[in-house]
Amino acid sequence: GEDVEQSLFLSVREGDSSVINCTYTDSSSTYLYWYKQEPGAGLQLLTYIFSNMDMKQDQRLTVLLNKKDKHLSLRIADTQTGDSAIYFCAENNYGQNFVFGPGTRLSVLP
Amino acid sequence: GAVVSQHPSRVICKSGTSVKIECRSLDFQATTMFWYRQFPKQSLMLMATSNEGSKATYEQGVEKDKFLINHASLTLSTLTVTSAHPEDSSFYICSAPGQGVNEQFFGPGTRLTVL
């Protein structure tokens, strides 16, 4: 079945850039998403990218998609302490269930 | 691993009726559960946070009188779509956090079609 993988932890210093990586197996994925989960809260959609795009930028967030390698990344520029959270990568083929990665816990150090 | 179930998996109802969707954590207790809704061609959007023994917390723009949430036990949360209309037709998913690092268990979803 479909699978989405992420590393579980990432630590960066405040002000540096964070890059969270994700790989997926379903080559028919139509949409790829990044969700953010703060402690005790539900997942909040951060951004998404259609599979026919290579890059999407939204303020401090840059999403890169390498469809050939099935690799998705989320770059957060000028990382702040408020960015500390768990980031979930997810893929969805229109009409099918979502498949989520295990989540990457981002810790921002002062 | 931990499992979250939803019932029913699919429901079709007439406009004006109410529909109840159950979310159960099968082998673990969940003081908190989350309800999401997926719109066609769109992503999963958080609707509300269900808290055992207290009122649910709704996201902005979600009508709490329309989408009633009850978290009566540590293993069951229910979402009732009251006086459903065709625009409520959607895929509803619940999730519950686990004990482990980053753990989040998702239910299989309920597809609601309102005629």
Side-chain angles (χ1 to χ4, degrees), chain A residues 4 26 28-33 49 51 90-100, chain B residues 38-39 41-44 91:
Chain A
V4 177
D26 186 3
S28 62
S29 295
T30 310
Y31 303 91
L32 294 133
Y33 307 90
I49 189 168
S51 58
E91 60 95 8
N92 176 248
N93 191 7
Y94 176 55
Q96 306 299 319
N97 289 351
F98 274 79
V99 179
F100 284 84
Chain B
Q38 181 188 13
F39 292 89
K41 297 186 180 180
Q42 295 185 37
S43 181
L44 221 54
F91 193 63

Side-chain angles (χ1 to χ4, degrees), chain B residues 40-53:
Chain B
K41 297 186 180 180
Q42 295 185 37
S43 181
L44 221 54
M45 302 299 290
L46 179 65
M47 297 174 65
T49 302
S50 171
N51 303 298
E52 189 268 334

